[in-house]
Amino acid sequence: MRHPPAKEADLKFAKLDLDRLRRRGMPETIYGAGKTGAQLAAIFSALAKAGQNAFATRVGPEQAAIVQQTVPDAVYHAVSHTLSHDSVPLPKRLGKVAVLCAGTSDVPVAEEAAITAERMGARVVRLFDVGVAGLHRLLSRQSQFANARVLVVVAGMEGALPSVVAGLVSRPVIAVPTSVGYGASFKGVAALLGMLNSCAAGIVVVNIDNGFGAGVAAAMINRQKP
Amino acid sequence: MRHPPAKEADLKFAKLDLDRLRRRGMPETIYGAGKTGAQLAAIFSALAKAGQNAFATRVGPEQAAIVQQTVPDAVYHAVSHTLSHDSVPLPKRLGKVAVLCAGTSDVPVAEEAAITAERMGARVVRLFDVGVAGLHRLLSRQSQFANARVLVVVAGMEGALPSVVAGLVSRPVIAVPTSVGYGASFKGVAALLGMLNSCAAGIVVVNIDNGFGAGVAAAMINRQKP
Amino acid sequence: MRHPPAKEADLKFAKLDLDRLRRRGMPETIYGAGKTGAQLAAIFSALAKAGQNAFATRVGPEQAAIVQQTVPDAVYHAVSHTLSHDSVPLPKRLGKVAVLCAGTSDVPVAEEAAITAERMGARVVRLFDVGVAGLHRLLSRQSQFANARVLVVVAGMEGALPSVVAGLVSRPVIAVPTSVGYGASFKGVAALLGMLNSCAAGIVVVNIDNGFGAGVAAAMINRQKP
Amino acid sequence: MRHPPAKEADLKFAKLDLDRLRRRGMPETIYGAGKTGAQLAAIFSALAKAGQNAFATRVGPEQAAIVQQTVPDAVYHAVSHTLSHDSVPLPKRLGKVAVLCAGTSDVPVAEEAAITAERMGARVVRLFDVGVAGLHRLLSRQSQFANARVLVVVAGMEGALPSVVAGLVSRPVIAVPTSVGYGASFKGVAALLGMLNSCAAGIVVVNIDNGFGAGVAAAMINRQKP
Amino acid sequence: MRHPPAKEADLKFAKLDLDRLRRRGMPETIYGAGKTGAQLAAIFSALAKAGQNAFATRVGPEQAAIVQQTVPDAVYHAVSHTLSHDSVPLPKRLGKVAVLCAGTSDVPVAEEAAITAERMGARVVRLFDVGVAGLHRLLSRQSQFANARVLVVVAGMEGALPSVVAGLVSRPVIAVPTSVGYGASFKGVAALLGMLNSCAAGIVVVNIDNGFGAGVAAAMINRQKP
Amino acid sequence: MRHPPAKEADLKFAKLDLDRLRRRGMPETIYGAGKTGAQLAAIFSALAKAGQNAFATRVGPEQAAIVQQTVPDAVYHAVSHTLSHDSVPLPKRLGKVAVLCAGTSDVPVAEEAAITAERMGARVVRLFDVGVAGLHRLLSRQSQFANARVLVVVAGMEGALPSVVAGLVSRPVIAVPTSVGYGASFKGVAALLGMLNSCAAGIVVVNIDNGFGAGVAAAMINRQKP
Amino acid sequence: MRHPPAKEADLKFAKLDLDRLRRRGMPETIYGAGKTGAQLAAIFSALAKAGQNAFATRVGPEQAAIVQQTVPDAVYHAVSHTLSHDSVPLPKRLGKVAVLCAGTSDVPVAEEAAITAERMGARVVRLFDVGVAGLHRLLSRQSQFANARVLVVVAGMEGALPSVVAGLVSRPVIAVPTSVGYGASFKGVAALLGMLNSCAAGIVVVNIDNGFGAGVAAAMINRQKP
Amino acid sequence: MRHPPAKEADLKFAKLDLDRLRRRGMPETIYGAGKTGAQLAAIFSALAKAGQNAFATRVGPEQAAIVQQTVPDAVYHAVSHTLSHDSVPLPKRLGKVAVLCAGTSDVPVAEEAAITAERMGARVVRLFDVGVAGLHRLLSRQSQFANARVLVVVAGMEGALPSVVAGLVSRPVIAVPTSVGYGASFKGVAALLGMLNSCAAGIVVVNIDNGFGAGVAAAMINRQKP
């Protein structure tokens, strides 16, 4: 087996895969947790030099500020804890992805999903205050999400929202458990198990707090060209 | 500390507590799993001799048939897997306990809760086909359960039903997880965790498949005399 | 299905459900953990403007001080880590709820249960130093809790207290496991499992450290009107 | 809130939801595990009378034979352990769903996914002998799966196949862990965790052995109309 | 390092340690689970030939019958599922070990502990019907166990009995969790965790259902010669 | 049932049980973790006033310094993180308890066991550098521990030391798992499980890091008077 | 990327990888659990036709008998539950692999490791009765295993044997946990965790009961050519 | 049994085993986590005085700086968090060990393995940017690792890399799970389970983040002299 050399940028602490956009339909995304501001700045600089867009998740405001000293146009999205810098225009937003969650604590994960899907070309509708314990709110907004191509439903604690939503639509539902809760929530495990065991078919699940992964999958489904 | 001798019947393999009705407001109930038909027959006979009512849970049809050879009037309740024999009349049924579940597989546990509560004097309404994935069924029957004094909500798999129901009523909800499911349901653990982490306040939980315990607690709450 | 628009106050970071009191018989309660003092202050202000009472759990003294700068009449309850501000009088306290725990470490959770039940109209008796390893204390106070309409029993470590208490009364017992302990207590899991497996019927359980949920359920049971 | 009465068929042991096709875009599917042959026969008869197609999963050959006594045209699919009877023609198969697995033991789950997707109108390509330990097989068949609209990747043991496949395509991947394995596979938990933690974005996961759920989600994604 | 050759009997499938009595103060005990009747018979014969006493735990009646064909004097103890054959007299029973449990289901494990301790020279008092949910029974028998040198307390489900007993005595308590229970008892794990987290000092714990180990430790403590 | 009032000292945050020495043969011990220095100081003062000895575990140097401002004679034991103040002479040390551990990291727990046993009247021999991976050290010191009345064996990581030691002696072994380790040690769970499953009979186990509990049980066994 | 077509035999239910010997230095091995005797017979026939040796693990005597009807020369190894048929001579046995275990119950796994290593060209020494609770046996046989190139150490229950052995040698130790045990052994998890946390460096671990994997790795290490 | 006194250096807080090099073929290595800089300095001094090399893992830069005040020649390896001081020359590097990992986050563990193996005489090739989601990188470097005597493969998250690598080589693979990941990675448990369940034979596993253990085993295998 012969394979061509990989197209990549070698920063000492990491090698950037500059070919992923072509291969997988999405550019490399940086996982910010555990990286220093200086490392992130180096990555953003390298991608800027390569003329590629940069997007990092799980970035705190301090890390972001350090990147912005080197790459001043980088934009920090405080709610989703993401950082972006775009050298080329993002794809036009098409289709419809609905992102739902129950409230305050789940919003950062939901917003990470939403912004990720938008960057990959999805038009996103956000419904961030619809929980199972107040069913009337959810039902009164049904027309806003029922015609989406795909739904991302984010929930912590018992994680019941995706089951209820999936029962109301005929489109795929990506369930995202969050680590919101305490005690026997076991940092999102209760929600994760609830979603995996949903009695409503058509639900698929991602890792706890993985708004990014849900956003990627939703965008892939949304851009479907038959 | 001095204590009076206990009032009890000594069968070789077990001592029956004949004083529990007075002390705890409920007669001793026999846990049938793991007991032979002969042992159950001996217990039912002893209680009959003592003029006390007998009630056993988790009894299979074969065990029941053996008991009925000795105590012919014993009644086997096939759906709830319970066996009863009443020497004295049961208390009159009062108040209102609603028992809800989603369908076929959860019915035996729900019925165990219902029959237990009825034996302890509760009037019980059964709603055995209302799941979260078909919300319209639940909502169309709201008037049948909203005015109950207490609700028992039985669910397996993701265990989301109690959260949804509790959001619709202002009465206490006893959630019963069942071992229905497969894979990551872990024999009821997913449902149990979902119920413990419910975002709807007023929900309390019992052990997996413990319809009996839910029925006892519901009856105790239902007979409340202010 | 048509549903009326929800009655709510929209703070940017959260939507307050101002209709819950009517729907569920209890006002919305704020979960303080993870919220900033400023967010709590905004919520307390909005509820004050709407003429509704405010009650927040898991509030630290620093958060409370920030709220009190905006809503000076807000009262901080240091033992239960709760914060309240009442625009309208609380319901009159009736009936009897007994709250029991074994000692120092469990008191904050027990007190959260007690104050929650009181705000919802329950008369509460506190017995905060009765553990299973010193049975004489518990037995010598039996008359103080045996006639309660419902008991809340809080325990960490092995969580055995609810079983012992339930064996002494004929009323429902709400067991609250706490995260008190170390090693194989697994932050309350040992106590939770012990309570779920209690050999005494009539015990129901809430999440680890969920004094609030126990208080709500106890108040709902206590105010029962047959 | 007013809701119309549900459209359903009441068999004593179950109520059939005859309206799901309209509401959710898929007919009710019967979960065969734990049901008797007689119960399945009754359900298949009722659906036949209602002029609806019937499809049951987790059906053993004995159960199937009993159904076929009542509904002779019912077809048993031995590899996927499913049973079907069609009163009306199935939708025409369009698009492309690729179903991959590593070998013998995972085939039943993979086939359950494939047949489910086919019944919901998907054209399915099966690649049932491509494992990570023999990478050459997978790579030599890349052209057969790379252009599918969505991929279902089934794996037990360490569950690594979806990560490798997702790295080779730009379409969504539905990962299905199976209970194949022993010891520390914990009946599919190792595979499930591996899939949830995949370093390749665009992967979503369903419950252990849930070929049916994967098939439904794949068909929903496949039939996407932009 | 030089070591003398071990003193042992070589049966093909096992080597018997004939020197353990001298080294550890107790003869080798055979764990019967998983052994065939023929294997047990061979072991009993070999020990008889060596003039040593034989004792096997977890022996079913069928296995026992096969051994008795070869070693007719072997005695089967049906309650504890143990089998013994004594070539030399057992040590005289001295001191006092109290073995307590709550009832029917825990008796086999309790009896295994009792018979083991007796064979190692302990005088044993059995109290097999004292549970925490019926505290009066336990308290009324306090004089029977308070003066034991060591107590073995056997309990399933929530495993609370050892905590209560230890609070009443000043002697060491060996707690034995049993696999009695269902659902969230997790085959004895709930009881095990309860015992490990007991708030009463002086409690030590053995493996789930390990009556034998508790009996050995109790006998070792009981025979203490200061 | 009548019970005399309990003999206790009421500090606002705790009630001290001043009667435990008489009832259980050991004075109340204070669990220092989570208590403020001021609370500990109040407890030590109250016990001093009552003429009882005080002993607290899990006390940090800062807490200890605060206590010493109020009770200057209180002695801090830095290795075991314990604090003591004795109003009356401790019991004379008799018998022999051997405390073994493998090295540096396990010493604090081992020393907590040793000092606890000494305070309860046991003569203690410490062997703190004998691990299973360097068997020669253990074997060369065999004469120092083989004749102890009871052994406390402390180990983290795989927790194998108690099995090896128990195979060398004929006395009871109290195994103490510690939270020493990383990764799949799960903070002591691996060691705990290893000890519970020891193939050497006569081993009993306490909670992870529970040197105190092991010391109490060892002292109780050591002072045995036949 | 271009890849040559795979060299394989297509049985309907499985594709045999006939090229593995060349690629990985070991022929394909059949995992017998879950396969029918007929399927095994087909595989053995196909390999015989291809002139390759066949080796299957986890084969019961009934399965073996069916294979032998088709391939009469197939040899069943009853202790290790393996089945073999050799068309070409096995490699000559060289080097030295020592396989150790504690006794009766662990022998099948140990023997599976031994026979696997032998088939791959290793000379194997078996020491099947050396446990940590009887250290003298192990030490008296030290000369038999200390000079092996690699050791396979099999143990259930607490899994301490590999730690002790590794402390006595300077060669790599492959630890194999077995599912032997009960209660908190959790079917081999306790042994697995013990081995992963061994304080003796140079220990590597395989899955529970995976004698085959240990044998393969041992043979690979043993045949090392520097 | 007689045993010679151990050859060791007694620092108050620890005893150094100065004889391990002779006995086990590797010098004692210090586990730096939890030790103070002063303790490490004392150990490094003692080993220097004894003329032995010193090597410590899990050392932070602050600890290292303190050691260097006492032992100025000590070298801190920042990437692997290790500290070394060599009194005598290290063994010459021979053979070939390949150490592979997927990227940034896994490098510290991979480097700990590499430096450990080098100190024990192995020539090491590092390939630190080869992940399963970018298979082309791995395949294009195949010639660099296929001829190693043994491979160490480090991976977090789903831990799939060892399976893929093992399928490409015929040498033993030591898999090292890392705690890299979040949510359902459970701090490395997902990766650990994936590796234990690998479908590729010849893989052995060490504890989570145990680069040191993998390095020791790799060096032992690498230096094999047939």
Side-chain angles (χ1 to χ4, degrees), chain G residues 39-186:
Chain G
Q39 288 178 321
L40 286 174
I43 294 172
F44 270 66
S45 292
L47 286 169
K49 268 180 217 158
Q52 293 208 356
N53 291 347
F55 181 54
T57 60
R58 308 211 177 188
V59 177
E62 300 80 6
Q63 292 165 292
I66 294 169
V67 175
Q68 287 166 330
Q69 290 169 2
T70 311
V71 185
D73 294 348
V75 180
Y76 185 57
H77 312 270
V79 177
S80 61
H81 306 141
T82 58
L83 182 71
S84 63
H85 177 260
D86 295 323
S87 302
V88 294
L90 290 173
K92 203 184 151 198
R93 295 186 192 164
L94 300 170
K96 179 170 181 181
V97 172
V99 180
L100 293 81
C101 73
T104 318
S105 314
D106 297 326
V107 164
V109 174
E111 186 60 30
E112 186 187 278
I115 202 170
T116 299
E118 285 175 341
R119 289 183 60 82
M120 290 179 65
R123 194 164 61 82
V124 173
V125 173
R126 288 161 173 83
L127 293 162
F128 282 3
D129 209 32
V130 287
V132 293
L135 213 53
H136 59 293
R137 288 193 192 178
L138 179 69
L139 295 173
S140 68
R141 285 161 201 174
Q142 205 167 338
S143 64
Q144 292 172 264
F145 61 80
N147 67 339
R149 288 187 187 172
V150 55
L151 297 93
V152 174
V153 184
V154 180
M157 303 182 75
E158 82 269 60
L161 188 59
S163 288
V164 173
V165 170
L168 299 171
V169 303
S170 56
R171 299 296 312 147
V173 169
I174 302 173
V176 189
T178 69
S179 53
V180 170
Y182 63 89
S185 82
F186 300 126

Side-chain angles (χ1 to χ4, degrees), chain F:
Chain F
M1 287 187 274
R2 286 270 313 276
H3 296 272
K7 183 178 170 189
E8 53 197 28
D10 195 346
L11 312 177
K12 283 198 171 170
F13 57 90
K15 283 188 187 134
L16 291 179
D17 181 350
L18 299 178
D19 200 35
R20 184 176 295 203
L21 180 61
R22 187 189 57 76
R23 279 199 341 275
R24 295 223 52 211
M26 50 176 291
E28 189 163 57
T29 300
I30 301 109
Y31 181 68
K35 293 206 175 62
T36 63
Q39 289 177 321
L40 287 174
I43 295 172
F44 270 66
S45 292
L47 286 169
K49 267 180 217 158
Q52 292 208 356
N53 290 347
F55 181 54
T57 61
R58 309 213 177 186
V59 177
E62 301 79 8
Q63 291 164 292
I66 294 170
V67 174
Q68 286 167 330
Q69 290 168 4
T70 310
V71 186
D73 294 347
V75 180
Y76 185 58
H77 312 271
V79 177
S80 61
H81 307 142
T82 58
L83 182 71
S84 64
H85 177 261
D86 295 323
S87 302
V88 294
L90 291 173
K92 202 184 152 197
R93 296 184 192 166
L94 300 170
K96 178 170 181 180
V97 172
V99 180
L100 292 82
C101 74
T104 317
S105 314
D106 296 327
V107 164
V109 174
E111 185 62 29
E112 186 186 278
I115 202 170
T116 299
E118 286 176 340
R119 290 183 60 81
M120 289 179 67
R123 193 165 61 82
V124 173
V125 174
R126 288 160 173 83
L127 292 162
F128 282 3
D129 209 32
V130 287
V132 292
L135 214 53
H136 58 293
R137 288 194 193 179
L138 179 68
L139 295 173
S140 69
R141 284 159 202 175
Q142 203 166 339
S143 65
Q144 293 173 263
F145 62 80
N147 66 339
R149 289 186 185 172
V150 55
L151 298 93
V152 174
V153 184
V154 180
M157 302 183 77
E158 83 269 59
L161 189 57
S163 288
V164 174
V165 170
L168 299 170
V169 303
S170 57
R171 299 297 313 146
V173 170
I174 302 173
V176 189
T178 70
S179 53
V180 170
Y182 63 90
S185 82
F186 300 126
K187 307 195 176 177
V189 171
L192 171 63
L193 294 182
M195 293 167 178
L196 286 169
N197 287 286
S198 176
C199 51
I203 295 184
V204 291
V205 187
V206 295
N207 195 4
I208 298 163
D209 291 333
N210 190 6
F212 170 70
V216 169
M220 283 178 167
I221 296 171
N222 180 68
R223 76 181 167 205
Q224 181 74 31
K225 295 179 193 77

Side-chain angles (χ1 to χ4, degrees), chain C residues 89-148:
Chain C
L90 292 172
K92 201 183 153 200
R93 295 184 192 167
L94 300 170
K96 179 169 180 181
V97 172
V99 180
L100 292 83
C101 75
T104 317
S105 314
D106 297 327
V107 164
V109 175
E111 185 61 30
E112 185 186 278
I115 202 170
T116 298
E118 286 176 340
R119 290 183 60 81
M120 289 178 67
R123 195 164 61 81
V124 173
V125 173
R126 288 160 173 83
L127 293 162
F128 282 4
D129 209 33
V130 287
V132 294
L135 213 52
H136 58 293
R137 287 193 193 180
L138 179 68
L139 295 174
S140 68
R141 284 159 202 176
Q142 205 166 337
S143 64
Q144 293 172 264
F145 61 80
N147 67 339

Side-chain angles (χ1 to χ4, degrees), chain E residues 99-199:
Chain E
V99 180
L100 293 81
C101 74
T104 317
S105 315
D106 297 327
V107 164
V109 174
E111 185 61 30
E112 186 186 279
I115 201 170
T116 299
E118 285 175 341
R119 289 183 61 81
M120 290 179 66
R123 193 166 61 82
V124 173
V125 174
R126 289 159 173 84
L127 294 162
F128 282 2
D129 209 31
V130 287
V132 293
L135 214 52
H136 58 292
R137 287 194 193 179
L138 179 68
L139 295 173
S140 69
R141 284 160 202 174
Q142 203 166 338
S143 64
Q144 293 173 264
F145 62 79
N147 67 339
R149 287 187 186 172
V150 54
L151 298 93
V152 174
V153 184
V154 179
M157 302 182 76
E158 82 268 60
L161 189 58
S163 288
V164 173
V165 169
L168 299 170
V169 302
S170 56
R171 299 296 312 145
V173 169
I174 302 173
V176 190
T178 70
S179 54
V180 171
Y182 64 90
S185 82
F186 300 127
K187 306 194 177 177
V189 171
L192 172 63
L193 294 183
M195 292 167 179
L196 286 168
N197 287 285
S198 176
C199 51

Side-chain angles (χ1 to χ4, degrees), chain D residues 186-204:
Chain D
F186 300 126
K187 307 195 176 176
V189 170
L192 171 63
L193 294 183
M195 292 168 179
L196 286 169
N197 287 286
S198 176
C199 52
I203 294 184
V204 292

Side-chain angles (χ1 to χ4, degrees), chain C residues 27-48:
Chain C
E28 190 163 57
T29 299
I30 302 107
Y31 181 69
K35 293 204 176 61
T36 63
Q39 288 177 321
L40 286 174
I43 294 171
F44 270 66
S45 292
L47 286 169

Side-chain angles (χ1 to χ4, degrees), chain D residues 131-135 138-139 156-160 163-164 166-168 181-186 189-190 193-200, chain H residues 131-135 138-139 156-160 163-164 166-168 181-186 189-190 193-200:
Chain D
V132 293
L135 214 52
L138 180 69
L139 295 173
M157 301 180 78
E158 82 270 59
S163 288
V164 174
L168 299 170
Y182 63 90
S185 81
F186 300 126
V189 170
L193 294 183
M195 292 168 179
L196 286 169
N197 287 286
S198 176
C199 52
Chain H
V132 293
L135 214 52
L138 179 68
L139 295 174
M157 302 181 76
E158 83 269 59
S163 288
V164 174
L168 299 170
Y182 63 89
S185 82
F186 301 125
V189 171
L193 293 183
M195 292 167 179
L196 286 169
N197 286 287
S198 176
C199 51

